[in-house]
Structures are given as C-alpha cells and as structure tokens.
Amino acid sequence: MPEEEIESAPTAADIPRRTDGLELLGRYQGVEYEDLVYLARRGDGQMVQLSFLLFLVIQEIDGVRPTAEIAQRVGRAFGKDVSADNVRHLLEHRLQPLGIVAEPGAPTAVTSDAPRNDLLLGLMGRRTLVPPPAVRAAARALAWLHRPAVTATVLAAAVAMDLWLFLVHGAMPAVLHSLSSPLPLLTVFALIVGSLVFHEFGHASACHHAGATPGRIGCGLYLIWPSLYTDVTDVYRAGRAGRLRTDLGGVYFNVVYMLALLAGYAVTGHPVLLAAIYLGHFEIFEQLMPTARLDGYYILTDVAGVPDLYGRVGPLLRGLLPRRARGDRPAEPVPALTRRARITVTVWVFTLVPLMLADLGYGLWNLPRITATALRSLDARLHTATAATVGGHPASALVAALGVVLLALPFAGGGWLTVRLLRAVGRRLRPAGDALARSAAQYLVVRAKRERDQT
C-alpha cells in the first residue's frame, strides 16, 4: 500500500459513512450456505446478508477513516492485498446499493429506494409497547422456564391437560357458556389478549436463555391485522439451537399460560378459564403455520438454514422463465445454498405460492358478498352498542363496540395495504417513467433545435 495514499489529506468524499442505525450482527451461525454469511441490520429493520470481505469493509467504516486506511486494515484481516480502488468499487457497486453505506455528500438516512424483501409481508407502523430495559429484566426473571427439566415437566403437564380437557371433561360446554352473555365473552377476550402478550415474553426469555440480548416488545400492522412482535435480532449471533429455542419460546409460553389458567380453574371452577384454554390452542396452531410471517415461518427458516425464505420466492420463480423473458434485471447477489437447503426452499415455494394465489382468488371472487355482509353486521353492531349504552348495559355495549372494531379493522388494514401496494408499484415504475420523461425531453430539445436551424 503506497504511503502517500494514507498520508495525503483525504477529501470528505473519500471518507465513507454508514447509514443511520446500521447494526453489525456478525457471522450467521448454522446456515445452509456454501460460503460464510454475515448479517447486518439496517436502520429500517431490513436484514442484509454480506460476504466476509464486505463485512470487513463495513466493519472498518467509522466516518473518520479514509478508503486508503480502510483498504489497509481490510487487507490485513482478509489475508490478501486490498487497494483503495478495490474498496471504492465495493462501496459504489455493492454496499451503497444495499443501503448500508451513504453516497458521498448525501444524508446518512436509509433511502426509500433501498432494496427491501417482501415489502407487503413485513410489519408496518411499529410502535413500542415495552421498552428494552423492562423486556430484559422480565426475560432474566422468566429464563428459568426454559431449563430442560422445567420444559419437560411443562410439556408433560400440557399433554395431561389436553387429555383431560378433550377426552374427559369436554371443551365445548365452557365455550358455549362464554358466548351466552357479554361479561364472560369480555373475560375470554381479555384472557386471550393476555396470552398474546405473554407469548412475546416467551420469545424474549428464550433469547436471553440462548445467550443473546432481547430488545423491545412492540406492535404493528401485519397485512390487515394488528400484531405484536419481540425484537430478538441479537439471537442471530447464536447457533441454530438457540434460534429454534427462541422461535418456539412464544408457543411454549402459550402452553405455560394455559396451565396457569387450568390451575385457576381448579381453584375457582369458572368455565371461562377453560374456554380461554380451548381458544388458546387455535392461537398456537395459527402461529405454527409457515405460510405467513409468524413463528412457524421463522422455525422453518432456522430448520432450513435460510434466513430469507420470502426473498427466495422471486429469484426462484424468475429462474423458471426463459432467459429472454427474465430481462437484464439487476439483483443483490444471493449466496449459494447447499443441495439440502435448495430442496427445502423449492418445496416451500411451490407449496406457498399456489396457496397464496388460491386464497387471493377466493377473496377477490367473494369480495362483494363479504363486503356487503360485513357492512350489514357493522351497522347491526353499531345499533346494538347504541341501544345498550342508552339502556344502561355497559357489558353489552362494550361487546358490541369490540365487534365494531374487529369488523372495521380489516377495512382499515385493507386500505393501508392497498396504499402500500400502490406505493410499491409506483417505486417499480418510477425508473421507467423517469427514462420515458428523459427521452421525451431529449426529443423535444432535438426537435426544437431542428426547427431553429431550419428557420
């Protein structure tokens, strides 16, 4: 490395800067890639996969070191000579397009055109419910529940509970009792909400048990429904076993919650608790489905050793098209998968896509009837809530109001989803529109010049 390249005063354009909020997570352990993969998380929450060389480069960027010094430090760590021009090339053609390094002279905020995977399937409008310090304190207090002996005891007790509930006592009488009047229905609803919150502490405590640090617990909008989430990004530093334990921590805590409800029923004999246990099983089944971005999806990603299953759908389907139909579409380099992982991803994609298309087609076909029925039900519940409020029946009024909210949420979420879809389409069409506008402007300039020359 020439000495004058380091000693000469660098310009501001020659000092690269990370984008705001970038977090380096290190090597992704236990994945099914042929080469080593390193992970970083952008300030907007998007996970980015990096090669070892790219990770070394971004690791040395601190907003102070010039490219020449970065090249020297990267070369020592990489074991090969790396020049300042090599670093500039990686910055311009690899790291800046990924949105993790700011362009020279540009703001360090993540730009709106930075690449994002599964835009429509991400959690939007995130808000913090429990801040990280409180989550970490609760995770430390609850981590003992993930000890092997405790886990085995809980699972054995859950099997005994289900045998008694479904084969001996019966679950439906408790459910029917809860539907018979407003107050039991409100109680069951509150217990289900409590189960959803406790579910998130299961992820956080499992993350802590795996040796990682959990972040906040928050809420957002997933497709058209509100959803809770726990920031367990730090668990990517752990091995596959730790990530799987974290993935399963939520449904495991659902089981713990149901056992606590069963203990409450043993003391009080109130059937509402059994109804909440029964409905809690559906919550677990829903979470374990690997189609939506719920716990089952993350379990499958860690079993397969591929962290971006939805990001593989497009490339896999485009790979089936003829070369001429694919076009010259630039894409982020994707690490090569092992044979086992390729088979798993292919089976998942060809199962997921028909299910999603069938679900979308069914919804669109029945949309007029579903909308009309929902509007009639919404109007009926509004009248019920008004009559119950005027008649002095607060429990009935609250149940009707909850019904109004639950019916209105899909409409609000659907509207937001439509806006996001239009924005996504607009971003895809913007480059073509800009090119068309430039061509039209050039044509007008050339035509005006010709007319001026003729006159």
Side-chain angles (χ1 to χ4, degrees):
M1 180 67 64
E3 286 293 325
E4 60 270 15
E5 213 174 343
I6 297 178
E7 293 176 357
S8 60
T11 63
D14 204 38
I15 300 177
R17 299 160 300 151
R18 300 179 184 179
T19 53
D20 296 337
L22 182 70
E23 183 181 3
L24 301 182
L25 301 177
R27 181 182 169 187
Y28 190 20
Q29 303 288 339
V31 292
E32 294 289 338
Y33 289 134
E34 294 179 353
D35 299 317
L36 297 181
V37 174
Y38 292 77
L39 293 177
R41 183 173 65 169
R42 288 197 319 235
D44 60 355
Q46 177 67 51
M47 300 292 291
V48 179
Q49 298 180 41
L50 302 169
S51 66
F52 180 47
L53 178 59
L54 291 178
F55 187 81
L56 289 177
V57 172
I58 193 66
Q59 195 174 38
E60 298 298 335
I61 294 176
D62 60 358
V64 177
R65 297 189 186 105
T67 52
E69 183 178 350
I70 292 172
Q72 192 177 56
R73 297 169 69 97
V74 169
R76 285 198 298 264
F78 194 57
K80 295 181 180 179
D81 290 337
V82 177
S83 68
D85 287 337
N86 295 149
V87 172
R88 293 188 190 99
H89 177 82
L90 294 176
L91 291 172
E92 181 180 355
H93 297 283
R94 299 293 294 277
L95 295 175
Q96 290 174 8
L98 291 177
I100 60 178
V101 171
E103 295 183 6
T108 54
V110 179
T111 59
S112 60
D113 58 350
R116 291 171 175 83
N117 289 334
D118 49 271
L119 175 67
L120 297 177
L121 295 172
L123 197 66
M124 301 296 292
R126 300 182 181 219
R127 296 292 182 271
T128 299
L129 293 180
V130 185
V135 173
R136 288 193 285 268
R140 286 192 298 269
L142 296 170
W144 65 273
L145 287 167
H146 297 278
R147 295 173 183 170
V150 178
T151 301
T153 303
V154 167
L155 296 180
V159 171
M161 174 187 68
D162 281 355
L163 291 175
W164 173 80
L165 179 61
F166 293 105
L167 299 182
V168 178
H169 183 276
M172 288 311 297
V175 175
L176 295 175
H177 169 80
S178 300
L179 298 174
S180 62
S181 58
L183 189 57
L185 190 59
L186 286 174
T187 305
V188 171
F189 180 80
L191 291 172
I192 293 299
V193 172
S195 175
L196 294 174
V197 175
F198 195 62
H199 173 102
E200 300 305 325
F201 283 103
H203 291 306
S205 57
C207 178
H208 176 80
H209 189 268
T213 302
R216 63 177 178 170
I217 291 177
C219 65
L221 188 69
Y222 181 69
L223 294 179
I224 62 174
W225 291 105
S227 180
L228 300 178
Y229 70 92
T230 305
D231 182 2
V232 291
T233 309
D234 195 57
V235 82
Y236 280 104
R237 306 177 195 269
R240 184 178 297 182
R243 293 197 303 272
L244 283 171
R245 184 182 293 110
T246 302
D247 298 336
L248 292 165
V251 295
Y252 172 62
F253 263 43
N254 285 137
V255 173
V256 173
Y257 188 84
M258 289 191 289
L259 290 174
L261 293 179
L262 183 65
Y265 174 77
V267 174
T268 65
H270 205 294
V272 167
L273 301 174
L274 293 184
I277 293 174
Y278 176 76
L279 295 175
H281 286 78
F282 291 96
E283 181 186 343
I284 291 176
F285 294 150
E286 180 186 19
Q287 285 289 341
L288 292 178
M289 293 295 292
T291 50
R293 187 182 278 276
L294 299 174
D295 292 355
Y297 168 81
Y298 292 104
I299 292 170
L300 182 60
T301 62
D302 286 323
V303 169
V306 183
D308 58 341
L309 286 176
Y310 275 115
R312 296 278 174 172
V313 175
L316 182 61
L317 295 180
R318 285 195 298 272
L320 301 176
L321 298 174
R323 184 178 298 274
R324 186 175 298 176
R326 298 179 206 171
D328 298 326
R329 180 177 178 179
E332 173 190 348
V334 178
L337 299 176
T338 64
R339 183 174 181 274
R340 172 181 171 274
R342 285 198 301 271
I343 293 174
T344 302
V345 172
T346 302
V347 171
W348 178 79
V349 168
F350 283 100
T351 302
L352 172 72
V353 172
L355 286 175
M356 293 183 68
L357 292 176
D359 188 52
L360 178 63
Y362 179 83
L364 292 176
W365 179 263
N366 293 282
L367 183 61
R369 184 172 61 181
I370 293 173
T371 303
T373 303
L375 290 175
R376 285 196 300 269
S377 183
L378 182 63
D379 182 67
R381 280 172 169 73
L382 284 171
H383 282 87
T384 301
T386 303
T389 302
V390 173
H393 302 289
S396 298
L398 187 54
V399 169
L402 286 174
V404 170
V405 172
L406 292 176
L407 284 169
L409 277 175
F411 289 99
W416 192 6
L417 185 64
T418 302
V419 170
R420 290 165 56 195
L421 178 61
L422 292 176
R423 287 177 178 175
V425 172
R427 276 195 291 269
R428 293 296 181 93
L429 295 179
R430 188 182 303 164
D434 292 343
L436 182 62
R438 286 193 299 269
S439 299
Q442 292 173 358
Y443 170 76
L444 292 176
V445 169
V446 171
R447 183 174 178 180
K449 184 178 179 181
R450 287 178 180 175
E451 291 178 354
R452 187 176 63 250
D453 293 343
Q454 289 175 356
T455 57

